[in-house]
Amino acid sequence: MNGKTPMPAVGEGRRGRSGHIGYLLRQAHAAHRARMEHALAPCGVTLPQFSVLTMVAAYPGVSGAELARLALLTPQTMSVIVANLERAGAIARRPHDAHGRILLIEISPAGRSLLARCKAAVRAAEAALLAGLDEAEDAVVRRWLVAAAQAQ
């Protein structure tokens, strides 16, 4: 910083409970992303790739544009991720029955296996995010996060 004021640790000062909620969300996201990337590294998958695999498994036959919206990524980023996952054999694309220019994306058997390994790898990182919360608190946090996202 300026050499006079020491930077507060996470959880202290404005990086703690008195901080702005948007900053606290961003700080939590950064910590969670780092944990997830570390957990996924042995699988050879990035967090955005994991998100895409998860969404393709949940919504088979999704288009690239729909997938970009679901995974909260730009269409350009999605195009690169889909190409890389297709090259790795994790997903397959096929033309839409009525709109030949639209390609529908589905997870392959190899992609399902990779996704299962990824989910096992991130289980501890995701559990750490909710550590210390009971079921009722977990439900409140999830409800609040969904409401915050819906309030665009």
Side-chain angles (χ1 to χ4, degrees):
M1 296 193 14
N2 63 13
K4 296 179 184 178
T5 305
M7 185 181 301
V10 173
E12 295 178 1
R14 291 294 184 179
R15 297 184 78 195
R17 292 181 182 193
S18 66
H20 293 281
I21 192 69
Y23 176 81
L24 297 177
L25 275 170
R26 190 157 193 259
Q27 179 178 252
H29 174 262
H32 180 62
R33 182 179 177 109
R35 282 191 299 267
M36 294 288 283
E37 290 283 359
H38 179 75
L40 288 166
C43 298
V45 173
T46 65
L47 184 55
Q49 288 172 330
F50 173 66
S51 295
V52 168
L53 282 174
T54 300
M55 291 301 153
V56 171
Y59 305 104
V62 67
S63 72
E66 292 167 327
L67 192 53
R69 286 188 293 275
L70 284 168
L72 307 174
L73 298 168
T74 66
Q76 297 82 358
T77 299
M78 184 55 61
S79 180
V80 171
I81 291 170
V82 166
N84 288 337
L85 289 172
E86 185 177 34
R87 191 172 19 265
I91 60 170
R93 293 190 275 187
R94 64 175 173 77
H96 187 282
D97 292 337
H99 306 282
R101 290 187 56 198
I102 297 174
L103 296 175
L104 304 180
I105 305 165
E106 296 182 355
I107 194 164
S108 68
R112 285 197 188 285
S113 176
L114 176 59
L115 182 57
R117 289 194 311 277
C118 289
K119 284 182 176 182
V122 301
R123 198 167 286 127
E126 290 183 337
L129 192 61
L130 298 170
L133 298 181
D134 62 30
E135 281 186 45
E137 291 166 326
D138 179 303
V140 167
V141 168
R142 289 173 189 270
R143 186 172 56 246
W144 178 78
L145 288 169
V146 169
Q150 289 174 329
Q152 293 185 21

